[in-house]
Amino acid sequence: MNRSMPRIMGHTQVAGVIGWPIGHSLSPAMHNAAFAALGLDWCYVPFAVPPERLPEAVRGLRALGVRGVNATVPHKEALLPLVDALTPEAEAIGAVNTLHIREEGILGHNTDAAGFLRALHEAGFDPAGCAALVLGAGGAARSVVYALASVGASVRILNRTVARAEALVAALRARLPTADLSAGPLTPEAIAQHLPIDLVVNATTLGMWPQVEASPWPARLPFPKGAFCYDLIYTPRETHFVHQARAAGAQAANGLGMLIHQGAESFALWTGIQPPVEVMRAACEQALGGM
Ligand code: NAP
């Protein structure tokens, strides 16, 4: 089969991604490469869905027999009341990034948390019981903090808007009562107060293309050499934050691993087949080109 142009027939199974906008998504390249590599009669389509049409779109996906979709910005929270059931992870995180559309109803999953943990392990860092600093408290931070708390890490969440970090802690404490979580401001003083640390995660948008000079890590504070640095951003491939960590002699990884592994988890849910992770990685690398 021609990999770039799958032969779509009446029996082809359809999966996709909903977002607004959706043009930047790497998911179509990643999943279509995986279907082609395994010779599966599936295709993966980007759906540009404006927020006000999300309920209509979800009903339509089911009516059209679409097997599964991923969800990205701005739909992850808005999907919660639109599904028939939620996994415990999706409910605790308060966000859905994968819909599994079945005869008996639509199940809302969150594969971001598992994808993040897999990415950390793949990069050589075991987060079980570690002391972690999560910079940022938006949607992605919720999955990261849940994932870390679920493996017994103690997590300090620092955010520009402290109230948002406090709300995240309160929401997760209700689900994980024994978790060691705290919130504070994203300031050099607050960061310094928590050092030394085992893991620092950038879950802010600081450093994302085209703001490539920005970083959540203060210029005047040396990055702790013994800490592992994980940046959720993958464009550019080496953010200024990752550069700061590597320059200090620390190990670091970008967010491509999390993207690939959340996609791999979704692929396995829909198809029941082990995903070809290296094919998915190569497709993402190729789609990113020289970025
Ligand atoms: P979001 O909900 O919009 O949250 C953005 C976060 O960045 C908030 O904590 C926000 O702080 C902070 N922030 C924004 N501008 C800032 C500034 N100038 N100074 C300090 N903090 C600032 O976004 P999200 O969905 O959580 O995404 C966060 C990042 O994760 C993005 O770069 C996204 O691409 C990445 N991501 C990666 C993956 C992956 O698979 N690798 C998955 C999901 C997301 P306030 O609360 O104060 O506004």
Side-chain angles (χ1 to χ4, degrees), residues 277-289:
V277 172
E278 290 316 313
V279 169
M280 296 169 92
R281 190 187 319 277
C284 288
E285 299 276 4
Q286 193 184 2
L288 282 171

Side-chain angles (χ1 to χ4, degrees), residues 73 76 112 136-141 159-161 164 186 203-206 208 232-234 255-256 258-259 262:
V73 177
K76 290 185 183 184
D112 281 333
N159 196 45
R160 178 179 61 177
T161 310
R164 206 173 175 193
L186 180 52
T204 73
T205 49
L206 288 172
M208 194 159 70
L232 262 57
I233 296 171
Y234 48 83
L256 196 56
M258 178 174 170
L259 177 84
Q262 63 75 31

Side-chain angles (χ1 to χ4, degrees), residues 136-160:
R142 292 178 76 97
S143 300
V144 163
V145 174
Y146 174 84
L148 291 170
S150 70
V151 296
S154 55
V155 193
R156 313 285 154 239
I157 303 135
L158 306 184
N159 196 45
R160 178 179 61 177

Side-chain angles (χ1 to χ4, degrees), residues 88-102:
E89 288 80 17
E91 198 167 6
I93 293 165
V96 167
N97 81 323
T98 304
L99 298 183
H100 191 190
I101 305 164
R102 304 166 306 168

Side-chain angles (χ1 to χ4, degrees), residues 20-259:
W20 184 258
I22 199 62
H24 63 284
S25 175
L26 296 179
S27 295
M30 173 164 78
H31 286 277
N32 283 318
F35 294 146
L38 298 182
L40 297 180
D41 187 12
W42 282 63
C43 73
Y44 188 101
V45 186
F47 296 109
V49 177
E52 67 277 12
R53 302 200 73 176
L54 186 66
E56 197 186 342
V58 171
R59 286 196 300 275
L61 290 168
R62 192 164 176 197
L64 289 167
V66 173
R67 297 287 300 277
V69 293
N70 290 124
T72 184
V73 177
H75 299 320
K76 290 185 183 184
E77 287 90 16
L79 280 171
L80 290 169
L82 301 179
V83 298
D84 298 303
L86 291 167
T87 62
E89 288 80 17
E91 198 167 6
I93 293 165
V96 167
N97 81 323
T98 304
L99 298 183
H100 191 190
I101 305 164
R102 304 166 306 168
E103 253 326 293
E104 58 270 34
I106 300 182
L107 184 57
H109 292 256
N110 189 305
T111 66
D112 281 333
F116 170 70
L117 290 180
R118 273 185 191 264
L120 277 185
H121 281 285
E122 184 181 73
F125 183 82
D126 179 359
C130 80
L133 204 52
V134 174
L135 312 179
R142 292 178 76 97
S143 300
V144 163
V145 174
Y146 174 84
L148 291 170
S150 70
V151 296
S154 55
V155 193
R156 313 285 154 239
I157 303 135
L158 306 184
N159 196 45
R160 178 179 61 177
T161 310
V162 183
R164 206 173 175 193
E166 287 168 346
L168 195 165
V169 168
L172 287 182
R173 257 207 203 115
R175 299 279 169 183
L176 301 167
T178 59
D180 179 7
L181 307 172
S182 68
L186 180 52
T187 59
E189 295 71 27
I191 292 177
Q193 198 188 325
H194 293 300
L195 301 181
I197 198 91
D198 302 316
L199 171 69
V200 186
V201 181
N202 177 25
T204 73
T205 49
L206 288 172
M208 194 159 70
W209 191 87
Q211 279 189 306
V212 294
E213 295 305 320
S215 168
W217 192 265
R220 62 182 159 91
L221 193 67
F223 190 89
K225 194 176 164 190
F228 189 90
C229 158
Y230 194 86
D231 197 332
L232 262 57
I233 296 171
Y234 48 83
T235 51
R237 310 291 273 284
E238 183 174 279
T239 58
H240 187 50
F241 175 54
V242 165
H243 175 77
Q244 286 170 297
R246 287 186 177 144
Q251 285 196 299
N254 72 18
L256 196 56
M258 178 174 170
L259 177 84

